[in-house]
Amino acid sequence: MRNWIPLIGQLQDYDLRQDMKSDLNAALIVAIMLIPQGMAYAMLAGLPPVMGLYASTVPIVIYALLGSSRQLAVGPVAMVSLLVYTGVSGIAEPGSEEYIAYVLLLALMVGVIQLLLGLLRLGAVTKYISHAVISGFTSAAAIIIAFSQMDSLLGTDLGESKNVFIIMIEAVQNIGNIQAETFFIGLASIVVLFLMKKYTPKIPGPLTVVVLSIAAVQLFNLEQTGVEVVGEIPGGLPGLTIPAMSADAVLTLLPIAVTISLIGFVESYAMAKVIATRERYAVHPDQELRALGAANIGTGFFSGFPVTGGFSRSAVNYDSGAKTGLAGMMTAVFVILTLLFFTSWFYYLPQAVLAAIIIVAVYGLIDVKEPKHLWQVKRADAVTLAVTFIATLAVGIEAGIITGVGFSLAVFLYRSGKPHMAELGYLESEGVYRNIKRFPQAKTDDDKLIIRIDAPIYFANMAYIEEQLRHYMLEHPRLTHVIFDFSSVNDIDAVAVDELEKWLDHHGSRGIRFYFVTVHGPVRDIFKRAGWDEKFAGSLYYRDLNEAHKAASSDS
Amino acid sequence: MRNWIPLIGQLQDYDLRQDMKSDLNAALIVAIMLIPQGMAYAMLAGLPPVMGLYASTVPIVIYALLGSSRQLAVGPVAMVSLLVYTGVSGIAEPGSEEYIAYVLLLALMVGVIQLLLGLLRLGAVTKYISHAVISGFTSAAAIIIAFSQMDSLLGTDLGESKNVFIIMIEAVQNIGNIQAETFFIGLASIVVLFLMKKYTPKIPGPLTVVVLSIAAVQLFNLEQTGVEVVGEIPGGLPGLTIPAMSADAVLTLLPIAVTISLIGFVESYAMAKVIATRERYAVHPDQELRALGAANIGTGFFSGFPVTGGFSRSAVNYDSGAKTGLAGMMTAVFVILTLLFFTSWFYYLPQAVLAAIIIVAVYGLIDVKEPKHLWQVKRADAVTLAVTFIATLAVGIEAGIITGVGFSLAVFLYRSGKPHMAELGYLESEGVYRNIKRFPQAKTDDDKLIIRIDAPIYFANMAYIEEQLRHYMLEHPRLTHVIFDFSSVNDIDAVAVDELEKWLDHHGSRGIRFYFVTVHGPVRDIFKRAGWDEKFAGSLYYRDLNEAHKAASSDS
């Protein structure tokens, strides 16, 4: 029971006065942040604002019960909302009933995929998404999201495209159509949000601009001058909806559902891990997948849209003192109270303010330090980040992540295909064997070659290794002994063993003798199964280079 | 000049009596084998038999000039012919003028792709096609090719499908329609070919069955009873043809052109390498690509179809004493003489005999030893072979190779994502540190943990390594010192360095001290660029485990 509902474990030593107070305080602050954000992200996803509130009720309660993180704040987030828009706007008109039906189905699919991955304990597949890919992808997505708010901010129609460059061109062409009051409200909100974030981080900026802008619109009758407002928000709780399923729709939505499942999980799990490490408790990837999956199934049945654990909201939840999942539960209660009693208050909220909230929220996701750092430490990783960033901006959000993952794995495969090799020499001062390129004073013999191969040997790098060996042997015309330092050969496959055997047979027949030093267990096993223990008895398994060198010297 | 036209180098010490005689003998034997095979493979590719002869003229001459192998016999081969059929039969009726036009364009495209790969020195990309994949793919393709000859062999129409299972069903359903004389001739040819291959390997089997069957058809007037014969073969040399190019056609043919380019090259290069190793000269992958590319461009302009170096024909060429590319040139001359004077001789050649020649030729490609051997040495490789084999048989020839390559790389990535790790203990008898699982008598300390990581560390395995470290640390509750044996960490990326640094910071703040032993050059460089040399000064770069253990003992 406690394995499946971690909340029970979290409440084991719950202090009803102290901890409850902390959780309640965090829940209130998160709710104040979540209500305008939820509406804004619903808008970003092409949905009516109220669905952002619906998505902040049932899923939060489900995650609070099932999640292994105590502080993760689940709900609508910018990246997933954008993915929903890009995935569904191609097959239905945003905001239409058909569009909403597809989004509900999509949420259900995301939930089922995450739940299945969690039940099958496949959370580890996400390890193949490099942090460099996530960083490049997130920065690009943040820019795309910010630009997608341009029309709400300018109060003018800029077409349907989410491509940054097209939006820029459209914005310049429509510079005469800018609605001045809207633009002013939006710009002022952005400035206020940035300033408050910097100078008064304790006061919730989104709530402030929401309250001020509603007051301003009412006071100056700005709605009459053309400022678009949120308008009527239906009060009351979300009803139970059954997503319409058709094989066709499921197939069409599958790629975007898989993308949202993985990206949503990766973003969420990364944040959960950061907090868990600081608080010294464990989060489990598969339990997290199950919890997020259940939450998304919940959002699909209760008029919401796909949710995940958000970066900034979780940070606020944690900083505000949340101790357990109860904080999440209470957040949901505050949202439900809003739905029951306060939706009419948001009638005059300008859409430009929601756009401003989104822009400021995603601005923090643009990471310029990481590419610099990666460039300094290892350029290939920085290039991976750049490729992902450019592909995401230029082609789109799904293509970007696929390109990034493909590229990062290709880099690894490319590197593993051209492994580092070194000729070793004896360094008398230290009594060890070292790479003669780094230690030119190391002593070598004319008739002996000591080679260290720094790689798992497999089908794709065996040809390269043979080629390098050929070069080394050309440099040693008087060669009679080859000593292989296998201390960094951590694996070998059958294809490579066969090739190596052919190579040994060929050179062995020309009178060259071989010595294998520090062969690790997994490689020993393969040698044994390939019959080398008999065939090459006496050549394998030297304990160290000194021993092999001595053996080679007495063999000559 | 000699770099681009290796034939010049080959003729440097050419003995006009001895070597010329050898080359001439080999050329004659290969031509006798090639003429019926060429016609058979053209039929397999859905083309008129004469195109098999055309493909055995110009391309052979071009390869003889440019190729770096002295004995490789280039020309039509079964696998490539089947790929041509599967690729083009979907868009045009086999044998039609439109079909031929597409095939010429395809040959040109294959040539251009290979030439470009060669000029860009990208021959190494084929190293990512594992020998296990090639073996599984070849066996399956051989079976598909053999079954594709079923209709010619039975003298009945079995539909268009090349799927083995569909052909089997069709054959059973059409058992009443078998043309008895055709089936007898085909079966007899197969038996004769097998027996001659075994008992009289010096006498060319294909020529024998061709001569005998032509005589039989004429003698017994079998054409009248319904035995399908090759019929009129136009005499004379191929004219210059300009392949019709359209962007649409190029795009449609691109996937099959890429497949043929790579598969053709891999098959050819593997054979060239085998012979070159025995004869102790070098073949260069990029030169081979350029030579095959030029040959395919030639076949596209002279009414042929895609060619490559064939396994069995090259073996015959080598065994018959071919010394240089001149043997290939002379083969082409024999084919040209046939085209000029002898095509009418083949009028009565039964198609069932060509089918028999194909079946016996591809039978030798089915490899049952390799899967057994791989299963014994490393099961993952045997599974790769099986997956490729099954995918090729069940889905098709292109899907098979793509599945195989994808699977073999996924296996490598999967293994690299769960690297081998070992806790080491001191083995007093030998004075070395060894894996305590393999050497349970090795001595360990309660407060010290010595860990060897057997892998390049990168983004995809860092989480697993952390997880394992967590387990090791739970097993050592009194731990104060962790010694990392980095002798088999042959590479590390920036993402993993960052994660490792966080881990060290976290555990360092809890009073645990770290020691890194035998860090190799490439990893040292990364540590340095990440600023570790200052931050972790004194913890890195211990020379060996003894030194680190001594340091740890004096630190406690």
Side-chain angles (χ1 to χ4, degrees):
Chain A
M1 190 71 175
R2 276 179 58 181
N3 274 336
W4 292 89
I5 305 185
L7 184 62
I8 297 173
Q10 293 174 22
L11 298 182
Q12 210 68 5
D13 309 303
Y14 199 69
D15 178 335
L16 273 180
R17 284 190 59 192
Q18 211 54 42
D19 292 343
M20 180 78 91
K21 206 179 131 194
S22 278
D23 278 347
L24 195 64
N25 179 52
L28 184 63
I29 293 176
V30 170
I32 286 172
M33 181 178 179
L34 174 58
I35 291 164
Q37 270 191 353
M39 291 195 282
Y41 294 151
M43 203 174 88
L44 172 59
L47 296 165
V50 71
M51 285 182 73
L53 300 182
Y54 294 161
S56 309
T57 57
V58 175
I60 297 187
V61 173
I62 294 177
Y63 181 84
L65 286 170
L66 302 180
S68 58
S69 169
R70 292 158 174 250
Q71 283 91 4
L72 193 72
V74 166
V77 305
M79 182 104 69
V80 167
S81 303
L82 180 69
L83 282 168
V84 168
Y85 182 90
T86 47
V88 186
S89 65
I91 53 174
E93 176 66 25
S96 67
E97 258 182 58
E98 196 195 356
Y99 185 89
I100 293 173
Y102 278 126
V103 171
L104 293 178
L105 175 60
L106 179 62
L108 183 63
M109 288 171 66
V110 168
V112 170
I113 292 169
Q114 288 181 329
L115 191 62
L116 278 179
L117 286 176
L119 290 173
L120 298 172
R121 301 181 187 280
L122 290 174
V125 296
T126 53
K127 70 184 172 188
Y128 291 103
I129 308 178
S130 163
H131 180 68
V133 171
I134 305 267
S135 173
F137 171 77
T138 306
S139 292
I143 294 172
I144 295 175
I145 293 169
F147 271 81
S148 75
Q149 297 309 304
M150 197 69 99
D151 49 357
S152 299
L153 200 67
L154 302 180
T156 170
D157 188 24
L158 298 180
E160 296 287 297
S161 177
K162 292 269 157 174
N163 185 296
V164 169
F165 308 104
I166 295 174
I167 292 175
M168 277 202 261
I169 294 167
E170 290 267 346
V172 171
Q173 285 172 344
N174 282 285
I175 213 152
N177 303 329
I178 292 176
Q179 215 276 329
E181 289 84 356
T182 302
F183 188 44
F184 175 78
I185 291 175
L187 217 58
S189 302
I190 291 177
V191 172
V192 170
L193 285 168
F194 270 118
L195 290 178
M196 288 185 69
K197 206 173 182 180
K198 191 156 181 198
Y199 296 108
T200 57
K202 288 279 165 204
I203 304 170
L207 185 70
T208 312
V209 294
V210 163
V211 169
L212 288 179
S213 65
I214 291 175
V217 172
Q218 280 191 291
L219 215 64
F220 304 111
N221 250 325
L222 290 177
E223 202 201 349
Q224 309 298 327
T225 67
V227 171
E228 280 209 56
V229 297
V230 165
E232 188 94 53
I233 295 177
L237 297 182
L240 185 71
T241 47
I242 309 291
M245 268 168 277
S246 78
D248 241 26
V250 168
L251 276 182
T252 312
L253 293 174
L254 196 58
I256 192 77
V258 171
T259 310
I260 293 178
S261 305
L262 296 179
I263 294 293
F265 169 66
V266 169
E267 180 178 348
S268 176
Y269 184 61
M271 192 63 197
K273 236 178 17 178
V274 166
I275 300 177
T277 305
R278 286 213 200 142
E279 289 294 302
R280 298 191 184 168
Y281 63 81
V283 283
H284 306 288
D286 296 314
Q287 179 64 28
E288 283 300 288
L289 269 168
R290 291 193 290 267
L292 288 175
N296 275 312
I297 291 174
T299 201
F301 280 113
F302 287 95
S303 303
F305 60 100
V307 296
T308 197
F311 253 81
S312 50
R313 218 147 50 224
S314 299
V316 168
N317 195 33
Y318 176 53
D319 288 341
S320 313
K323 293 278 176 270
T324 69
L326 276 194
M329 292 248 179
M330 295 175 199
T331 301
V333 170
F334 286 122
V335 176
I336 289 169
L337 289 176
T338 307
L339 275 167
L340 288 176
F341 306 113
F342 312 120
T343 53
S344 60
W345 293 13
F346 297 103
Y347 185 94
Y348 288 108
L349 174 60
Q351 294 198 350
V353 171
L354 292 181
I357 292 172
I358 292 176
I359 291 170
V360 175
V362 298
Y363 176 79
L365 297 180
I366 301 173
D367 190 351
V368 290
K369 272 191 216 148
E370 186 70 7
K372 275 191 210 161
H373 169 70
L374 292 179
W375 180 258
Q376 195 191 334
V377 177
K378 193 155 188 174
R379 301 211 163 156
D381 289 8
V383 172
T384 299
L385 190 154
V387 165
T388 313
F389 179 80
I390 292 166
T392 307
L393 265 199
V395 190
I397 209 121
E398 270 179 281
I401 195 101
I402 292 169
T403 306
V405 170
F407 185 84
S408 62
L409 293 176
V411 166
F412 178 71
L413 289 172
Y414 175 80
R415 292 184 65 87
S416 77
K418 291 183 125 175
H420 182 258
M421 290 170 70
E423 178 180 353
L424 307 185
Y426 188 67
L427 203 61
E428 273 178 37
S429 58
E430 300 197 25
V432 290
Y433 289 84
R434 286 280 182 264
N435 184 352
I436 57 166
K437 285 220 183 101
R438 285 173 188 263
F439 299 89
Q441 71 273 32
K443 233 182 64 184
T444 57
D445 303 321
D446 267 6
D447 61 336
K448 296 186 196 70
L449 175 64
I450 309 179
I451 287 292
R452 196 184 70 213
I453 302 168
D454 284 350
I457 306 183
Y458 76 121
F459 60 88
N461 62 19
M462 191 56 216
Y464 178 85
I465 291 170
E466 276 185 55
E467 187 63 23
Q468 294 304 106
L469 286 174
R470 208 170 63 83
H471 285 298
Y472 281 120
M473 294 180 81
L474 284 178
E475 286 168 12
H476 293 73
R478 295 182 45 217
L479 196 66
T480 48
H481 301 77
V482 178
I483 300 172
F484 287 103
D485 178 351
F486 257 44
S487 62
S488 32
V489 176
N490 35 54
D491 200 359
I492 193 164
D493 73 359
V495 172
V497 165
D498 285 353
E499 287 293 313
L500 191 56
E501 188 171 332
K502 272 187 230 159
W503 193 89
L504 294 175
D505 286 344
H506 177 62
H507 289 281
S509 73
R510 295 168 63 191
I512 291 179
R513 306 189 68 147
F514 302 98
Y515 307 84
F516 286 82
V517 182
T518 44
V519 179
H520 292 315
V523 179
R524 275 174 195 242
D525 293 343
I526 307 276
F527 280 0
K528 193 173 178 182
R529 286 205 291 274
W532 281 30
D533 282 13
E534 294 83 49
K535 182 165 177 183
F536 296 116
S539 295
L540 311 172
Y541 315 142
Y542 284 87
R543 204 167 48 198
D544 55 37
L545 287 167
N546 276 318
E547 200 185 78
H549 193 270
K550 216 183 290 169
S553 301
S554 68
D555 279 349
S556 50
Chain B
M1 190 69 177
R2 277 179 57 181
N3 273 337
W4 291 90
I5 304 186
L7 185 62
I8 297 172
Q10 293 174 22
L11 297 181
Q12 209 69 7
D13 309 304
Y14 199 68
D15 178 333
L16 272 180
R17 286 191 57 191
Q18 212 54 44
D19 292 343
M20 179 79 90
K21 207 179 130 192
S22 280
D23 277 348
L24 195 64
N25 179 53
L28 184 62
I29 293 176
V30 170
I32 286 172
M33 182 178 180
L34 174 59
I35 291 163
Q37 270 191 352
M39 291 194 284
Y41 294 151
M43 204 174 88
L44 172 59
L47 296 165
V50 72
M51 285 182 73
L53 300 182
Y54 293 161
S56 309
T57 56
V58 175
I60 298 188
V61 173
I62 295 176
Y63 180 84
L65 287 170
L66 303 180
S68 58
S69 169
R70 292 159 173 249
Q71 283 91 4
L72 194 72
V74 166
V77 305
M79 182 103 69
V80 168
S81 304
L82 180 69
L83 282 169
V84 168
Y85 182 90
T86 47
V88 186
S89 65
I91 53 173
E93 176 68 23
S96 67
E97 259 182 58
E98 195 195 357
Y99 185 89
I100 294 173
Y102 279 126
V103 171
L104 293 178
L105 175 59
L106 178 62
L108 183 63
M109 287 171 66
V110 169
V112 170
I113 292 169
Q114 289 181 329
L115 192 62
L116 279 179
L117 287 175
L119 290 173
L120 298 172
R121 301 181 186 282
L122 289 175
V125 296
T126 54
K127 70 183 172 190
Y128 292 103
I129 308 178
S130 163
H131 181 68
V133 171
I134 305 268
S135 174
F137 171 76
T138 306
S139 292
I143 294 173
I144 295 175
I145 293 169
F147 271 81
S148 76
Q149 298 308 306
M150 196 69 98
D151 49 357
S152 299
L153 200 67
L154 302 180
T156 171
D157 188 25
L158 297 179
E160 295 288 296
S161 177
K162 292 269 157 173
N163 185 295
V164 169
F165 308 104
I166 294 175
I167 293 174
M168 276 203 261
I169 293 167
E170 291 267 346
V172 171
Q173 285 172 345
N174 282 285
I175 212 155
N177 303 329
I178 292 176
Q179 215 276 327
E181 289 83 356
T182 303
F183 188 45
F184 175 79
I185 292 175
L187 218 56
S189 301
I190 291 177
V191 172
V192 169
L193 285 167
F194 269 119
L195 290 178
M196 290 186 69
K197 207 174 183 178
K198 194 160 179 194
Y199 297 107
T200 57
K202 289 279 164 202
I203 304 170
L207 185 71
T208 312
V209 295
V210 164
V211 170
L212 288 179
S213 66
I214 291 175
V217 171
Q218 281 191 290
L219 215 61
F220 304 111
N221 249 327
L222 290 176
E223 202 200 349
Q224 310 297 327
T225 66
V227 172
E228 280 208 57
V229 297
V230 165
E232 189 94 52
I233 296 177
L237 297 182
L240 185 72
T241 47
I242 309 292
M245 269 168 276
S246 77
D248 242 26
V250 168
L251 276 182
T252 312
L253 293 173
L254 197 58
I256 193 77
V258 171
T259 310
I260 293 177
S261 306
L262 295 179
I263 294 294
F265 168 66
V266 168
E267 181 178 348
S268 177
Y269 184 61
M271 192 63 197
K273 237 179 14 179
V274 167
I275 301 176
T277 306
R278 285 214 200 141
E279 289 293 301
R280 299 190 183 168
Y281 63 81
V283 282
H284 305 288
D286 296 313
Q287 179 64 29
E288 282 301 289
L289 269 169
R290 291 192 291 265
L292 288 175
N296 275 310
I297 291 172
T299 202
F301 281 113
F302 288 95
S303 303
F305 60 99
V307 297
T308 196
F311 253 82
S312 49
R313 220 149 46 224
S314 300
V316 168
N317 195 33
Y318 175 54
D319 287 343
S320 312
K323 293 278 175 270
T324 67
L326 275 194
M329 292 247 178
M330 295 175 199
T331 301
V333 170
F334 287 121
V335 176
I336 289 168
L337 290 175
T338 306
L339 275 168
L340 288 176
F341 306 113
F342 311 121
T343 53
S344 61
W345 294 12
F346 295 104
Y347 186 95
Y348 288 107
L349 175 60
Q351 295 198 349
V353 171
L354 292 180
I357 292 172
I358 292 176
I359 290 170
V360 175
V362 298
Y363 176 80
L365 297 180
I366 302 172
D367 189 351
V368 289
K369 272 190 214 148
E370 186 70 8
K372 276 190 208 159
H373 170 70
L374 291 180
W375 180 258
Q376 195 192 333
V377 177
K378 193 154 188 175
R379 303 213 162 155
D381 289 7
V383 172
T384 299
L385 190 153
V387 164
T388 313
F389 179 80
I390 292 166
T392 308
L393 266 198
V395 189
I397 209 118
E398 269 179 282
I401 196 99
I402 292 168
T403 306
V405 170
F407 186 84
S408 62
L409 292 176
V411 165
F412 178 72
L413 289 173
Y414 175 80
R415 293 184 63 88
S416 76
K418 290 183 127 177
H420 181 257
M421 288 170 70
E423 179 180 352
L424 306 185
Y426 188 67
L427 203 61
E428 274 180 36
S429 59
E430 300 198 26
V432 290
Y433 289 83
R434 284 280 182 266
N435 183 351
I436 58 166
K437 285 221 181 101
R438 287 174 186 262
F439 299 89
Q441 71 274 33
K443 235 182 65 183
T444 57
D445 303 322
D446 268 5
D447 61 338
K448 296 186 197 69
L449 175 64
I450 309 178
I451 287 292
R452 195 185 70 214
I453 302 168
D454 283 351
I457 306 181
Y458 75 121
F459 60 88
N461 62 19
M462 192 56 216
Y464 178 85
I465 291 170
E466 277 185 54
E467 186 63 23
Q468 294 304 105
L469 286 174
R470 209 171 62 84
H471 284 299
Y472 282 119
M473 293 180 81
L474 284 178
E475 286 168 12
H476 293 75
R478 295 183 43 217
L479 196 67
T480 48
H481 300 76
V482 178
I483 300 172
F484 287 104
D485 178 352
F486 256 43
S487 63
S488 39
V489 176
N490 35 55
D491 201 358
I492 192 163
D493 74 358
V495 172
V497 165
D498 285 353
E499 288 294 313
L500 190 57
E501 186 170 333
K502 274 188 228 160
W503 193 90
L504 294 175
D505 286 344
H506 176 63
H507 289 280
S509 73
R510 295 168 62 193
I512 290 179
R513 306 188 67 148
F514 302 99
Y515 308 83
F516 286 82
V517 182
T518 45
V519 179
H520 292 314
V523 179
R524 275 174 197 243
D525 292 343
I526 307 278
F527 281 0
K528 193 172 177 182
R529 286 205 290 274
W532 281 29
D533 282 12
E534 294 84 48
K535 181 165 177 183
F536 297 116
S539 296
L540 311 173
Y541 314 140
Y542 284 88
R543 205 168 47 199
D544 54 38
L545 286 166
N546 276 318
E547 199 186 78
H549 193 270
K550 215 183 290 169
S553 301
S554 68
D555 277 350
S556 52

